[in-house]
Amino acid sequence: PRGVDGGPGPAAAWRRLGVASGPGSGRDEEVAFALVRPEDGRVAVVHGRGTPEGAFRLPSGGRARSEELVAAALRECAEELGVRARAVASAGRMEHRFDGLGSFRTTLLVLAPEEDGAAADDPAGTDGENDAVRYVQAEELEGIARRLEALPGDWSGWGALRAAAVRATAARLLAGDGR
């Protein structure tokens, strides 16, 4: 069977959807989060190493089966942004289904930095998965989602998955929840 990314089978498709996620990895779920700066309401977006130019997304990461969702989000925030944070609100949960791959869940959370502040627009001090961090207004997230959805070829499935998380979280933030 061919994977959702057009590659040879499910393993390649799961790798495209998220690092160390999918069948046999012990991870069938991820957390994606909006780290919102309290002083200006801007939201962190990241560009991962090896992803298409301009393809910013919400920070995210896998959740081990024994790990609590909020704990996973806080750990990922420290790893991806170098920021200690606290959970502010849930932004929802999504279940993705892919031909021949089963399902994959994304839990969306809104986080705020603890008193020591938010990360700069620089990934220094993180685990090195990202090569750029930007802070954008919640209103700009729709444009980011459209850019992800427009990714060509092998990146189209990955982009659609990431765009859905961005769009759902933006709706929550724009409704005034979690800020």
Side-chain angles (χ1 to χ4, degrees):
R2 295 183 61 76
V4 296
D5 67 357
W14 279 103
R15 279 195 297 277
R16 175 73 72 217
L17 295 173
V19 176
S21 297
S25 71
R27 292 182 176 175
D28 59 356
E29 183 167 7
E30 71 171 355
V31 290
F33 57 90
L35 179 70
V36 179
R37 285 181 167 168
E39 66 273 13
D40 59 15
R42 292 188 305 152
V43 179
V45 292
V46 297
H47 181 268
R49 295 190 192 289
T51 60
E53 186 175 334
F56 281 82
R57 62 172 174 80
L58 291 175
S60 64
R63 178 186 78 90
R65 290 183 187 182
S66 62
E67 191 174 24
E68 295 290 327
L69 288 166
V70 171
L74 299 178
R75 175 185 50 75
E76 287 292 342
C77 187
E79 290 175 6
E80 290 212 16
L81 300 174
V83 174
R84 288 188 347 210
R86 60 185 170 79
V88 175
S90 170
R93 187 173 186 157
M94 303 167 64
E95 185 162 332
H96 316 281
R97 295 193 184 276
F98 305 97
D99 292 342
L101 295 175
S103 66
F104 184 78
R105 290 177 303 279
T106 301
T107 298
L108 308 168
L109 296 169
V110 178
L111 306 180
E114 288 189 350
E115 292 187 29
D116 57 355
D121 295 343
D122 177 346
T126 67
D127 64 7
E129 290 180 12
N130 300 309
D131 60 6
V133 177
R134 287 185 6 210
Y135 283 83
V136 299
Q137 295 296 329
E139 294 80 7
E140 296 175 74
L141 292 173
E142 178 59 32
I144 289 171
R146 283 195 308 269
R147 166 73 175 116
L148 289 165
E149 288 173 329
L151 293 175
D154 289 351
W155 288 97
S156 64
W158 180 88
L161 177 78
R162 299 297 174 211
V166 169
R167 192 167 276 122
T169 303
R172 179 70 185 249
L173 292 173
L174 293 171
D177 298 331
R179 284 213 250 185

